[in-house]
Amino acid sequence: MSKKSVTSFGEWKSPITSAVATAKASEFQDLLIDIADNGNDVVYWSEIRFDEGGRTVVSSCEVGKSEPKDWTPAEFSARTTVHEYGGGNIFVHKGTLYFSNFSDQRLYKQLTPDSTPTPVTAADTSYRYANGHMSAKTNLIYIIREDHSKVESGQAKEPTNSVICLDPSTQQEKVLACGADFYSTPKVSLDGEKICWVQWFHPSMPWYDTELWTAKLTKSGDAVIEGSAKKVAGGKDVSVMIPRWTPSGELRFISDENNWWNVYESALDGSITNIYKMDREIGRPDWLFGNQPYDTNPSCPGEYVVSCDGLLTLMENGVKKKTFNTGFTSHLLLNFSESGRVYCFAHSAIQVSTLISVNILDGKVEILRKSQQVDIDEGYFSKFTEICYNTTDGEKSYANYYKPTNKDYEGPDDELPPLLVKAHGGPTSSATTSLQLPIQYFTSRGFAVLDVNYRGSTGYGREYRLKLADKWGIYDVDDCCAAAQHLADNKLVDKNKLCIDGGSAGGYTTLACLAFKDVFKAGASHYGVADLELLAKDTHKFESRYLDNLIGVYPQQRDIYIQRSPIHNVDGFNSPIIFFQGTEDKVVPPNQAQMMFDSVEKKGIPCSLVMFEGEQHGFRKSENIQTALDGELYFYSKILKFNADLPDGISDKISISNYA
């Protein structure tokens, strides 16, 4: 074993470059199963390809028989913008692919990988579509429609959402459910007689209060029988989501009625039972359509598979039957096939997101596709440890702690590493547990990284999830600061080299930490919120009332918005900051980054602003992701005074104002 080189933290050389972090990288989106004429499973998935400008491409693979085939022609991108965030971009029926196209938001069908997609919705409309499926009984498509026509004509401020059925042969659309502000997950029972959906109203979000409804369909399937619609579950202080009909007609869904998102079943007699009761979460917040943390065996209704606590578990009639050792610690978008296989996206702290199949009979795991080929020695990877620490108001918070790790280097005995605290987005979300090369980029160079699950994060039950009510900008800030101080107090990091970054809501937390606390020496905001009032006035429908819960009702409580907005508290800024922003961001308008930069620059603090032309909320182009990663390290190296291993030319892309 070769001896490690003793080198200052932050100056280690690493094979995990920004180019490696994005090389032929993709991000899985949708996952579906179809059956070939010969009875084989055919797996369909969509993925964002960063080296293709962030285009979303659909691929398929006949299991055991063929290599993956791409379906999406170069001039198409299978991406819906319903709720702006999208998800539920595709569905498949008897070998025919249906997808929403990004450029015109029409729904298309495609018969083969080599055929030209043809539209099944009318041209020149202001409709967007998501989260659909086709019923084999009615041959109709049931889908969420978002109508922007009145917004575009100036007659309304928000689009209208509804559940519709669509005849793909005639392009005729009929509304089945309307009146609520939001809808998701329309599903028709296998006999074609009933439909279910989830709905909610402003100011709720899908992780606060939602309702599960069912209705009877007419024989033609294109209308709801009058008077048959009824609420099955959910309502005030209950979040229900992801309903699924069993082959025998029961309705399963996820509810947090007992504080934790668990699987429930509405029996044929209408009784409702928690069929897998435990103090653990099954599922994650519905920021995107298509979430599926459980699925039923289509050949045996009593069997279903769930993903929870990093495990893939087979249940039968409420009893745990088998737990599979897949070699991964997270399993998403579960699809149970008639063949007895479960398909899902799986990952771990040292494995990228991977499409796998699991045979429920023998537990055999087959890898079908990886989101990225990473040929890097595990000696450069840092495995996280979850820590629990004390925070304000006598409470606890959580974080994933990554030590500096590089098989070729170690730090001097008299030196402690710099720390990068990461504040996740949402804010109703959680720190990722998959292999994140951007995190490993820093840890392999000698940084410690702390990915914080501040109060308000998901995965710890409804009570913890709701702790940010009226406290955004307070508890998240307290918990990020307390996490950093916890490591510094335990002599694990250098208290004078504490940094923080975050994207979107995490960018707000980053800015708020720098504006209201004196803990961090530098920060990076990736498309972060600087002006809460501006966000309340100028954001999309899905999140337009989110702040009612997180901050207070606007404009009645405008004073709180001003108090907690970093843009109005620049006097509190004493630490350098770099901003990364997309020019086409509709969630956090780019003028917020510009205003914040101008204010900090005027104060004389070292700062930098990098605008990415054409990027939206979250960067999709490889070259921009690389610039953001290298640029952040470059910025820290200048502020903290160390010589980082960086590619040539990065200094030309990052201009630091007020830096001598």
Side-chain angles (χ1 to χ4, degrees):
M1 184 175 181
S2 59
K3 186 177 180 180
K4 290 187 175 184
S5 173
V6 178
T7 305
S8 290
F9 294 104
E11 299 187 358
W12 301 352
K13 295 184 182 298
S14 170
I16 307 174
T17 64
S18 64
V20 168
T22 58
K24 294 192 178 301
S26 61
E27 180 180 318
F28 291 134
Q29 293 281 289
D30 305 282
L31 178 61
L32 298 165
I33 305 299
D34 198 24
I35 307 298
D37 291 339
N38 59 13
N40 288 345
D41 292 341
V42 183
V43 186
Y44 293 78
W45 67 93
S46 67
E47 56 185 49
I48 301 170
R49 294 185 179 172
F50 301 113
D51 59 353
E52 295 185 28
R55 192 169 72 98
T56 301
V57 177
V58 180
S59 301
S60 71
C61 176
E62 183 174 339
V63 178
K65 191 173 181 180
S66 66
E67 293 296 314
K69 300 176 181 178
D70 288 350
W71 284 67
T72 311
E75 64 272 24
F76 287 84
S77 179
R79 177 187 171 197
T80 180
T81 56
V82 175
H83 293 178
E84 296 300 332
Y85 292 114
N89 304 291
I90 69 172
F91 59 95
V92 182
H93 181 68
K94 295 182 178 179
T96 298
L97 170 69
Y98 296 83
F99 68 93
S100 288
N101 183 45
F102 178 64
S103 62
D104 58 8
Q105 288 300 293
R106 295 177 75 183
L107 192 67
Y108 287 77
K109 74 174 181 180
Q110 193 173 356
L111 301 180
T112 67
D114 299 322
S115 64
T116 300
T118 57
V120 296
T121 55
D124 302 321
T125 70
S126 299
Y127 296 156
R128 305 176 185 182
Y129 305 88
N131 206 197
H133 77 110
M134 178 175 277
S135 168
K137 288 290 185 180
T138 67
N139 289 317
L140 297 174
I141 293 169
Y142 299 86
I143 199 165
I144 302 299
R145 186 180 74 187
E146 191 170 82
D147 180 1
H148 287 251
S149 58
K150 290 187 177 180
V151 176
E152 294 171 0
S153 65
Q155 300 177 61
K157 292 183 177 180
E158 294 184 338
T160 301
N161 295 67
S162 57
V163 177
I164 68 161
C165 68
L166 164 67
D167 187 334
S169 63
T170 65
Q171 298 188 352
Q172 184 177 13
E173 301 179 8
K174 292 185 178 181
V175 175
L176 301 180
C178 62
D181 291 312
F182 302 96
Y183 292 89
S184 74
T185 333
K187 292 291 179 182
V188 172
S189 57
L190 270 65
D191 58 15
E193 296 180 359
K194 294 174 288 186
I195 185 173
C196 68
W197 67 86
V198 173
Q199 65 180 46
W200 66 98
F201 298 84
H202 281 316
S204 185
M205 299 295 285
W207 43 86
Y208 292 151
D209 315 309
T210 58
E211 301 171 348
L212 173 59
W213 283 70
T214 64
K216 295 179 181 178
L217 294 172
T218 58
K219 287 186 178 180
S220 59
D222 62 354
V224 166
I225 296 175
E226 187 175 353
S228 68
K230 63 178 181 179
K231 186 177 75 171
V232 173
K236 183 173 174 53
D237 298 328
V238 179
S239 167
V240 293
M241 58 183 181
I242 318 171
R244 294 286 186 273
W245 297 101
T246 71
S248 50
E250 295 86 3
L251 182 60
R252 289 182 181 148
F253 57 94
I254 287 179
S255 171
D256 64 1
E257 185 177 332
N258 73 331
N259 186 52
W260 303 88
W261 273 323
N262 283 185
V263 180
Y264 287 72
E265 180 177 283
S266 176
L268 298 178
D269 63 5
S271 61
I272 296 178
T273 307
N274 183 339
I275 58 174
Y276 190 18
K277 187 175 183 179
M278 59 178 177
D279 292 345
R280 293 288 187 275
E281 299 267 60
I282 298 173
R284 54 182 180 167
D286 273 348
W287 282 101
L288 303 176
F289 293 109
N291 188 6
Q292 191 160 312
Y294 77 99
D295 201 17
T296 297
N297 186 344
S299 302
C300 180
E303 281 190 341
Y304 54 97
V305 65
V306 299
S307 173
C308 179
D309 253 8
L311 302 174
L312 190 64
T313 302
L314 180 67
M315 306 291 296
E316 185 171 20
N317 298 320
V319 178
K320 186 183 295 186
K321 189 174 181 180
K322 188 183 298 184
T323 297
F324 301 101
N325 179 14
T326 65
F328 297 87
T329 57
S330 182
H331 308 84
L332 306 173
L333 274 64
L334 309 187
N335 281 257
F336 212 142
S337 167
E338 292 179 1
S339 67
R341 292 184 178 89
V342 175
Y343 298 88
C344 64
F345 297 134
H347 64 246
S348 75
I350 59 172
Q351 296 176 95
V352 296
S353 186
T354 304
L355 171 56
I356 66 170
S357 74
V358 182
N359 190 315
I360 66 168
L361 294 180
D362 57 15
K364 182 181 178 181
V365 176
E366 182 180 358
I367 292 177
L368 302 178
R369 184 175 179 85
K370 293 187 176 184
S371 60
Q372 184 178 9
Q373 293 296 330
V374 179
D375 298 319
I376 296 174
D377 192 301
E378 287 187 13
Y380 296 105
F381 290 152
S382 177
K383 299 179 182 178
F384 72 83
T385 302
E386 186 180 46
I387 65 171
C388 178
Y389 56 93
N390 296 321
T391 187
T392 55
D393 292 344
E395 296 189 329
K396 302 283 188 182
S397 190
Y398 307 89
N400 295 335
Y401 167 51
Y402 296 81
K403 296 180 180 179
T405 303
N406 186 315
K407 72 183 187 69
D408 302 323
Y409 294 92
E410 61 185 4
D413 291 339
D414 60 349
E415 189 177 313
L416 292 173
L419 171 67
L420 176 59
V421 167
K422 300 191 77 67
H424 64 69
T428 310
S429 186
S430 61
T432 182
T433 58
S434 66
L435 173 63
Q436 294 292 303
L437 291 180
I439 288 179
Q440 305 295 338
Y441 173 94
F442 279 97
T443 57
S444 62
R445 284 166 169 75
F447 270 73
V449 172
L450 202 54
D451 211 353
V452 180
N453 277 318
Y454 47 76
R455 283 169 288 182
S457 300
T458 58
Y460 302 90
R462 181 182 178 89
E463 182 180 344
Y464 191 84
R465 190 192 325 146
L466 299 186
K467 282 187 178 293
L468 268 191
D470 301 325
K471 298 290 187 180
W472 194 33
I474 298 176
Y475 277 174
D476 52 320
V477 171
D478 288 346
D479 294 357
C480 286
C481 292
Q485 290 171 329
H486 173 77
L487 291 193
D489 291 345
N490 284 278
K491 307 298 182 185
L492 296 173
V493 297
D494 188 333
K495 66 180 181 179
N496 295 312
K497 295 182 179 180
L498 306 180
C499 306
I500 184 170
D501 76 6
S504 189
Y508 165 70
T509 300
T510 295
L511 294 172
C513 283
L514 297 176
F516 304 120
K517 301 288 184 178
D518 190 24
V519 172
F520 297 100
K521 304 306 178 184
S525 170
H526 298 254
Y527 42 92
V529 178
D531 188 336
L532 293 172
E533 184 179 26
L534 190 60
L535 183 66
K537 290 179 177 179
D538 186 19
T539 193
H540 57 109
K541 178 184 178 182
F542 182 65
E543 292 186 271
S544 64
R545 300 289 300 278
Y546 191 17
L547 298 187
D548 285 20
N549 181 277
L550 297 172
I551 303 292
V553 178
Y554 184 86
Q556 293 92 322
Q557 295 175 284
R558 179 175 179 269
D559 58 329
I560 300 177
Y561 282 73
I562 301 300
Q563 290 169 12
R564 296 191 198 167
S565 292
I567 191 69
H568 297 299
N569 292 274
V570 177
D571 287 347
F573 266 82
N574 296 300
S575 298
I577 176 77
I578 184 169
F579 300 87
F580 298 97
Q581 178 70 43
T583 61
E584 301 298 323
D585 193 332
K586 294 181 180 179
V587 179
V588 178
N591 58 349
Q592 292 208 17
Q594 186 67 59
M595 291 165 59
M596 195 71 211
F597 170 76
D598 291 343
S599 298
V600 175
E601 183 185 42
K602 186 176 180 180
K603 194 181 176 186
I605 298 170
C607 56
S608 181
L609 172 62
V610 182
M611 286 284 192
F612 294 127
E613 190 68 33
E615 289 281 19
Q616 296 181 313
H617 196 64
F619 308 140
R620 288 172 170 250
K621 298 177 181 178
S622 293
E623 61 270 26
N624 295 336
I625 298 171
Q626 291 173 25
T627 297
L629 195 56
D630 290 329
E632 184 172 344
L633 178 62
Y634 172 78
F635 186 78
Y636 296 152
S637 73
K638 294 303 179 184
I639 302 304
L640 301 181
K641 308 296 183 185
F642 62 87
N643 297 313
D645 178 30
L646 286 161
D648 295 336
I650 189 62
S651 60
D652 297 330
K653 299 178 181 179
I654 308 297
S655 175
I656 305 177
S657 296
N658 302 319
Y659 179 79

